[in-house]
């Protein structure tokens, strides 16, 4: 097959890594894969994860709404698709999902699939929800299939009448399970935490996430600043990078948390950071099914996080982690305190985390199942376009 993936951005977030791992395996299986992306791109990162896939830039494809650039992006994508003549267009992320599907339909692409990593109409105000939901319902009419990262995403689409039931599939967002199951802490973990050779080991809390608003790093710092100061044996590490880095650094300094909070930046060894931690946290206000939470369980660490659609697929509350209602920061601090204060409970929940069945989240399974869905849907789309 000739497969084109269209993404608004191609950076180091979970949806991009999901796409790159899938593309790499499809290239290895003999398919031609093209990654069409907007102006936000890290080409070295993309080529490292998906060698053999071709990168094609669409500079007018930007994340924010633009009455000038959005039509230009549509025209450019349509032109490129007419030249490439792919068998499959697989869109990802909200903006690329809408513009890309309109362009693919206009270009006469046989199969149009949309990957649902997150739903833009969840966790927003009524006006935004109405706009996003209207756009999703409109583009659903030109979509042959939706591939969701979780059952929660599929249920939300069906509950909101986005597409017909037969259009929806679930393929867990995969990663290299073996790499995380064998993880050990980095050799220089003391240096990472700024500890001397004689300093006692702190209780380490890790959060792995892109530094962007919906992950709520800034809110987290403000909400747990007093909690951290009351427990000087705690150390919080953020692994990830993004445009909020300077604001997070300023907040750490303003709250006088420099000795207890460390920004590690983007890491190529997330499994080692998780292995260095005693527990992990995730504070996103909206998300699909977070890969970092799955990775945390694979390493064998309990997690405290806010409720997300479909999270009950992997987290059993009080067994391998704690699920807290959205915005309940008091409850979040309480659950965090329960794990921090009890090494025995941490150990018991860590064992349950490691025992969580996660084979469906293997990257090889993800790529294989995605290809099966293409093959299943392609005849449907050809029949749909056949003359009466």
């Amino acid at each position: 097959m000739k497969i084109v993936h269209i993404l608004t951005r191609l950076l180091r977030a979970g949806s991009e890594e999901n796409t790159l791992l899938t593309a790499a395996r499809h290239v290895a299986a003999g398919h031609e894969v093209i990654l069409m992306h907007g102006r936000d791109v890290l080409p070295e990162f993309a080529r490292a994860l998906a060698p053999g896939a071709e990168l094609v830039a669409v500079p007018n494809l930007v994340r924010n709404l633009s009455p000038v650039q959005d039509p230009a992006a549509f025209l450019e994508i349509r032109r490129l698709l007419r030249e490439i003549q792919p068998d499959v267009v697989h869109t990802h992320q909200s903006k690329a999902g809408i513009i890309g599907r309109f362009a693919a339909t206009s270009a006469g692409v046989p199969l149009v699939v949309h990957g649902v990593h997150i739903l833009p109409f969840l966790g927003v105000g009524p006006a935004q929800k109405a706009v996003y939901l209207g756009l999703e319902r409109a583009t659903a009419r030109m979509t042959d299939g939706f591939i969701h990262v979780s059952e929660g995403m599929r249920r939300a689409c069906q509950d909101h009448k986005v597409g017909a039931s037969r259009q929806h599939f679930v393929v867990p967002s995969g990663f290299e399970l073996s790499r995380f199951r064998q993880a050990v802490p980095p050799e220089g973990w003391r240096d990472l935490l700024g500890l001397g050779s004689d300093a006692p080991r702190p209780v380490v809390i890790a959060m792995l996430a892109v530094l962007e608003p919906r992950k709520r790093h800034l809110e987290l710092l403000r909400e747990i600043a007093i909690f951290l100061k009351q427990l000087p044996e705690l150390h919080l590490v953020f692994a990830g990078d993004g445009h909020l880095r300077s604001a997070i650094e300023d907040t750490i300094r303003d709250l006088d948390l420099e000795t207890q909070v460390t920004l590690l930046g983007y890491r190529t060894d997330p499994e080692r950071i998780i292995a260095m931690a005693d527990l992990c946290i995730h504070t996103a206000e909206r998300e699909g099914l977070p890969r970092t939470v799955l990775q945390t369980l694979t390493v064998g660490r309990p997690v405290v996080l806010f409720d997300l659609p479909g999270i009950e697929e992997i987290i059993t509350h009080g067994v391998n982690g704690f699920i807290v209602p959205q915005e309940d920061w008091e409850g979040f601090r309480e659950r965090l305190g329960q794990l921090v204060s009890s090494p025995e409970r941490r150990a018991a929940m860590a064992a349950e985390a490691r025992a969580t069945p996660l084979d469906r989240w293997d990257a090889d399974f993800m790529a294989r199942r995605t290809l099966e869905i293409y093959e299943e849907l392609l005849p449907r789309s050809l029949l749909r376009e056949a003359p009466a």
Side-chain angles (χ1 to χ4, degrees):
M1 292 186 194
K2 186 182 288 187
I3 304 163
V4 173
H5 292 273
I6 306 178
L7 305 95
T8 309
R9 60 182 186 176
L10 194 45
L11 302 175
R12 294 187 176 112
S15 60
E16 291 97 305
E17 190 171 321
N18 167 302
T19 305
L20 292 169
L21 290 173
T22 301
R25 284 154 175 79
H26 289 173
V27 169
H31 303 282
E32 182 180 350
V33 179
I34 298 162
L35 300 165
M36 199 175 290
H37 58 82
R39 64 172 57 176
D40 296 327
V41 60
L42 292 172
E44 300 82 5
F45 171 70
R47 292 189 181 104
L49 261 66
E54 180 183 353
L55 300 182
V56 175
V58 181
N60 282 306
L61 183 55
V62 295
R63 191 174 185 186
N64 297 324
L65 291 174
S66 171
V68 175
Q69 291 178 298
D70 292 349
F74 164 79
L75 292 172
E76 179 68 0
I77 293 171
R78 184 178 66 176
R79 181 187 67 79
L80 288 166
L81 292 176
R82 284 175 172 171
E83 291 177 1
I84 295 167
Q85 296 188 345
D87 300 295
V88 180
V89 161
H90 189 158
T91 62
H92 308 264
Q93 303 161 341
S94 300
K95 176 68 89 63
I98 292 166
I99 293 177
R101 280 180 281 171
F102 273 109
T105 301
S106 181
V109 175
L111 179 64
V112 181
V113 174
H114 180 56
V116 182
H117 307 269
I118 186 171
L119 288 169
F121 54 80
L122 297 182
V124 297
Q128 285 179 295
K129 180 173 182 175
V131 171
Y132 288 134
L133 190 53
L135 287 169
E136 289 295 334
R137 285 172 176 166
T139 48
R141 298 188 186 101
M142 56 194 71
T143 308
D144 296 295
F146 295 88
I147 297 181
H148 302 269
V149 297
S150 73
E151 288 288 350
M153 292 289 99
R154 173 160 67 177
R155 283 197 303 271
C157 268
Q158 293 178 322
D159 290 345
H160 288 83
K161 297 180 172 54
V162 177
S165 295
R166 67 180 182 83
Q167 291 176 278
H168 295 278
F169 302 84
V170 175
V171 179
S173 184
F175 56 98
E176 296 171 348
L177 283 173
S178 59
R179 175 178 164 190
F180 286 81
R181 284 172 173 159
Q182 299 165 10
V184 295
E187 292 182 5
W189 65 268
R190 284 186 170 273
D191 293 334
L192 285 179
L193 299 178
L195 299 175
S197 57
D198 297 329
R201 187 192 186 285
V203 175
V204 178
I205 303 169
M207 178 166 163
L208 290 79
V210 177
L211 307 184
E212 62 182 18
R214 69 183 174 89
K215 305 294 187 176
R216 295 194 292 198
H217 295 80
L218 295 174
E219 292 91 333
L220 170 69
L221 288 169
R222 297 185 189 109
E223 291 288 347
I224 69 167
I226 294 175
F227 176 85
L228 287 174
K229 291 177 181 179
Q230 290 174 339
L231 298 165
E233 71 275 16
L234 296 185
H235 199 107
L236 172 64
V237 298
F238 290 143
D241 212 343
H243 67 276
L244 282 185
R245 179 167 186 137
S246 61
I248 293 170
E249 290 173 337
D250 291 343
T251 302
I252 292 170
R253 184 170 54 254
D254 293 344
L255 294 173
D256 193 26
L257 293 173
E258 293 100 323
T259 61
Q260 284 186 274
V261 182
T262 300
L263 271 72
L264 299 178
Y266 173 73
R267 300 286 302 194
T268 59
D269 58 348
E271 73 281 3
R272 288 179 174 267
I273 303 306
I274 297 170
M276 177 180 72
D278 295 281
L279 64 145
C280 292
I281 58 176
H282 193 80
T283 58
E285 61 182 343
R286 4 181 227 105
E287 192 106 18
L289 195 59
R291 290 157 55 84
T292 55
V293 173
L294 293 155
Q295 292 164 352
T296 295
L297 299 178
T298 306
V299 174
R301 298 294 183 271
V303 61
V304 180
L305 79 165
F306 288 109
D307 195 13
L308 295 166
I311 199 65
E312 69 281 354
E313 293 178 42
I314 56 168
I315 299 292
T316 302
H317 180 70
V319 177
N320 58 358
F322 286 121
I323 304 172
V324 181
Q326 285 286 346
E327 306 301 336
D328 183 8
W329 286 102
E330 182 178 351
F332 191 90
R333 290 189 296 270
E334 180 182 347
R335 295 304 188 184
L336 205 55
Q338 290 174 7
L339 284 175
V340 166
S341 63
S342 175
E344 295 79 15
R345 185 157 200 184
R346 284 203 308 273
M349 293 182 75
E352 293 289 349
R354 182 175 285 277
T356 305
L358 296 173
D359 287 346
R360 289 195 303 133
W361 279 269
D362 182 70
D364 290 337
F365 175 85
M366 172 180 68
R368 185 170 63 252
R369 181 66 186 123
T370 299
L371 202 59
E372 289 172 353
I373 292 170
Y374 294 165
E375 292 167 347
E376 178 182 343
L377 288 174
L378 199 53
R380 289 188 196 173
S381 67
L382 292 175
L383 285 170
R384 180 193 65 197
E385 294 178 356

